[in-house]
Amino acid sequence: MANLKGLAKETAIYGLSSIVGRFLNYLLVPVYTIAMSAQSGGYGVVTNIYAWVALVLVLLTFGMETGFFRFAGKGEDDPMRVYSTALTGVGGVSLAFLVVGLACLEPIAGWLGYEEHPEYVGMMMAVVAMDAIQSIPFAYLRYKKRPLRFAALKLLFIFLNIALNLTYYVVLDGSDVGYAFLFNLICTGTIMLCLIPELRGLRYGFDPALMRRMTAYSLPLLVLGIAGILNQVADKIIFPYVYPDAGGASVQLGIYGAASKIAMIMAMLTQAFRYAYEPFVFGKSRDKDNRETYAAAMKYFVIFTLLAYLAVMFYLDLLKYLIGRDYWEGLRVVPIVMAAEICMGIYFNLSFWYKLIDQTRWGAYFSLTGCAVLVVLNVLFIPRYGYMACAWAGLAGYGVAMLLSYFVGQRKYPIRYDLRGIGLYLALAAVLYALAVWVPIENLWLRLGFRTVLLFLFIIYIVKKDLPLSSIPLLNRLVKK
């Protein structure tokens, strides 16, 4: 329990930067969706380019974040030499990408469909190259258990980005989509300057033999990462190429991208959990009780993601104001995308068995299979069903990868998860969600009140079954007083 409390503490700090940061970023969604009307297709351009950025970022980091944690935590190599080697490797690849990309900017921009605005692509090439380099210093901060500096830098980026965007799109009433990319470039460059103390770790030198071992470990994770990120962005990349109305593709993609932002609350929780959980797992790998701890962590993860799911769905009538009114038709994707995020989070929790036994190829198999399902469904059904096909394909892809990882993992590295307890939470959440949807209440405030009661029923069940109030330190002290 002490280990889980330590995990919870670090998750809370990382969650501050992730959840608060993402929440503040939500301010940009109404800003963009009001400044760029749905029919202009501007937000569709933002959605498409950032999908490409996410994919390229995985390629440039090539699994080296996890590789750094693995080799720095094994105790066989000097952690600073591991850090310096990883930073040099990722930095070299990223700089080479930027040089070649800028040299071939016009044909690349034309292939992506932005021949009239190659500057959009050029700015984001610089952003993704710096993001890749920064990923290793940020991993180093997590390894050194410095969540406060980690959170401060992440929040600095967010606040600066929001300030610039609000100034242009709200105060100056601008509407040029290119400024969204320019402001990202400015903010990313600022964080790079702030990371100079961590970048000085390069002085520990580059070890070619160590790099070869780290690359051999990390390359299967690259395949896994590519497949994983494609599960998140392939629909946004594929959509313009297969949607039958070329002129309306950006419009529809913008509606889907804006509505999906509401579902990203689940991604916030998953990311916050991951930041603390990855170094925690590798640090616990030699302990005798590690499997019981992993099983408990999985159960709590499912509990609180289900709580987040119900909260978002019950208060969607309010959360929809995060996006412009002409994007509201896309709200029907929210429950589907959030369910997909839950599957992705569970899959992430399951994924550690093959990392701990150094059989990362299994992650590649699972993710590639899930990705294949997603891509095929998108190609087949986007022409007929539009962005709804994207939502369902994402759920199917993550669901397949999750199930494969569980069943193979139980043979290779068995962990006794509390399936009965998790199943009861899933069943209760499904019943409460069905009641919220099927009970017709026209008045908004009465409807919200009814759904609040349903949410409290779920919380009461959590407290009764798995999280008694006496286990919460602050409340326990208040009770004793």
Side-chain angles (χ1 to χ4, degrees):
M1 182 60 71
N3 288 311
L4 287 174
K5 287 181 179 178
L7 173 62
K9 180 180 178 180
E10 290 193 18
T11 300
I13 299 175
Y14 289 120
L16 177 66
S17 62
S18 179
I19 296 175
V20 174
R22 293 258 189 129
F23 178 76
L24 292 173
N25 248 339
Y26 274 158
L27 294 175
L28 296 180
V29 178
V31 168
Y32 289 154
T33 55
I34 291 173
M36 311 169 197
S37 68
Q39 296 306 312
S40 72
Y43 196 70
V45 173
V46 172
T47 301
N48 179 252
I49 289 183
Y50 275 108
W52 280 108
V53 166
L55 176 60
V56 174
L57 182 60
V58 171
L59 292 170
L60 295 183
T61 54
F62 54 97
M64 198 54 62
E65 288 178 86
T66 303
F68 163 70
F69 281 121
R70 183 58 170 165
F71 281 81
K74 287 177 71 173
E76 299 175 4
D77 300 282
D78 179 4
M80 291 308 301
R81 179 60 65 89
V82 173
Y83 170 63
S84 181
T85 298
L87 183 57
T88 303
V90 172
V93 171
S94 300
L95 291 175
F97 160 80
L98 183 58
V99 170
V100 174
L102 292 178
C104 306
L105 180 58
E106 290 192 5
I108 293 175
W111 179 69
L112 294 174
Y114 300 106
E115 59 276 352
E116 296 182 3
H117 295 285
E119 69 275 12
Y120 295 174
V121 179
M123 286 188 286
M124 295 314 292
M125 282 181 176
V127 166
V128 75
M130 287 191 286
D131 276 342
I133 295 171
Q134 291 172 16
S135 68
I136 304 302
F138 276 119
Y140 174 75
L141 291 175
R142 290 159 59 198
Y143 169 76
K144 297 296 288 185
K145 296 189 182 299
R146 298 184 62 191
L148 292 178
R149 177 164 170 76
F150 180 100
L153 291 175
K154 292 291 185 180
L155 290 176
L156 173 61
F157 176 92
I158 296 295
F159 281 118
L160 181 59
N161 193 34
I162 288 174
L164 292 173
N165 277 279
L166 287 177
T167 300
Y168 174 73
Y169 288 109
V170 177
V171 178
L172 300 179
D173 198 25
S175 60
D176 188 342
V177 65
Y179 279 87
F181 306 126
L182 174 61
F183 297 149
N184 195 327
L185 177 61
I186 293 171
C187 296
T188 305
T190 300
I191 299 304
M192 183 65 78
L193 293 176
C194 293
L195 284 170
I196 287 177
E198 283 71 30
L199 294 174
R200 290 174 182 154
L202 287 169
R203 68 179 182 271
Y204 287 90
F206 177 77
D207 187 332
L210 175 60
M211 188 65 193
R212 285 193 294 271
R213 288 190 288 128
M214 294 177 69
T215 303
Y217 174 84
S218 299
L219 278 182
L221 296 178
L222 170 61
V223 179
L224 184 155
I226 292 172
I229 202 65
L230 282 175
N231 278 322
Q232 298 179 46
V233 304
D235 49 359
K236 302 172 185 66
I237 292 174
I238 293 171
F239 198 93
Y241 296 104
V242 299
Y243 190 69
D245 179 8
S250 291
V251 174
Q252 294 299 306
L253 185 57
I255 293 172
Y256 173 60
S260 297
K261 284 292 184 181
I262 295 176
M264 289 301 103
I265 290 176
M266 197 64 65
M268 297 180 202
L269 295 175
T270 302
Q271 186 181 52
F273 192 82
R274 176 188 173 186
Y275 282 149
Y277 195 47
E278 193 166 55
F280 169 81
V281 166
F282 287 126
K284 286 282 296 174
S285 61
R286 292 186 292 270
D287 293 355
K288 294 181 180 180
D289 66 339
N290 59 335
R291 300 192 194 206
E292 293 180 5
T293 303
Y294 301 155
M298 168 69 85
K299 184 176 181 179
Y300 284 113
F301 175 81
V302 173
I303 290 171
F304 289 108
T305 51
L306 288 175
L307 179 61
Y309 182 93
L310 293 177
V312 171
M313 297 314 305
F314 289 175
Y315 299 109
L316 190 58
D317 288 325
L318 299 178
L319 292 173
K320 67 183 181 182
Y321 289 98
L322 288 169
I323 61 178
R325 286 180 178 271
D326 50 347
Y327 292 84
W328 284 4
E329 68 175 81
L331 291 173
R332 51 191 174 147
V333 307
V334 174
I336 307 167
V337 174
M338 287 195 70
E341 289 291 336
I342 292 177
C343 290
M344 188 272 282
I346 295 174
Y347 172 56
F348 171 79
N349 279 273
L350 292 170
S351 70
F352 277 97
W353 67 262
Y354 54 75
K355 294 179 183 178
L356 290 170
I357 63 175
D358 292 341
Q359 293 188 19
T360 50
R361 67 181 187 278
W362 284 104
Y365 300 155
F366 304 147
S367 291
L368 284 172
T369 303
C371 183
V373 170
L374 180 145
V375 170
V376 169
L377 291 179
N378 272 296
V379 172
L380 289 178
F381 295 111
I382 283 178
R384 183 173 179 181
Y385 299 105
Y387 56 74
M388 288 303 297
C390 300
W392 284 109
L395 177 58
Y398 281 131
V400 167
M402 175 187 71
L403 292 173
L404 286 174
S405 185
Y406 172 75
F407 287 113
V408 176
Q410 289 303 99
R411 296 185 61 186
K412 298 286 185 177
Y413 192 86
I415 297 175
R416 297 188 63 180
Y417 296 108
D418 183 9
L419 297 182
R420 182 179 180 277
I422 291 173
L424 288 174
Y425 277 105
L426 287 169
L428 178 60
V431 169
L432 295 176
Y433 177 68
L435 287 172
V437 173
W438 291 341
V439 174
I441 303 176
E442 293 298 326
N443 183 274
L444 171 62
W445 299 110
L446 290 177
R447 184 164 66 249
L448 291 176
F450 173 68
R451 292 178 175 181
T452 299
V453 171
L454 296 179
L455 189 64
F456 270 108
L457 289 176
F458 191 77
I459 294 172
I460 290 169
Y461 184 78
I462 295 173
V463 171
K464 183 178 179 181
K465 296 292 292 184
D466 289 286
L467 194 65
L469 297 180
S470 60
S471 68
I472 302 175
L474 178 59
L475 292 178
N476 190 28
R477 287 196 295 268
L478 290 175
V479 171
K480 288 181 178 180
K481 288 181 180 180

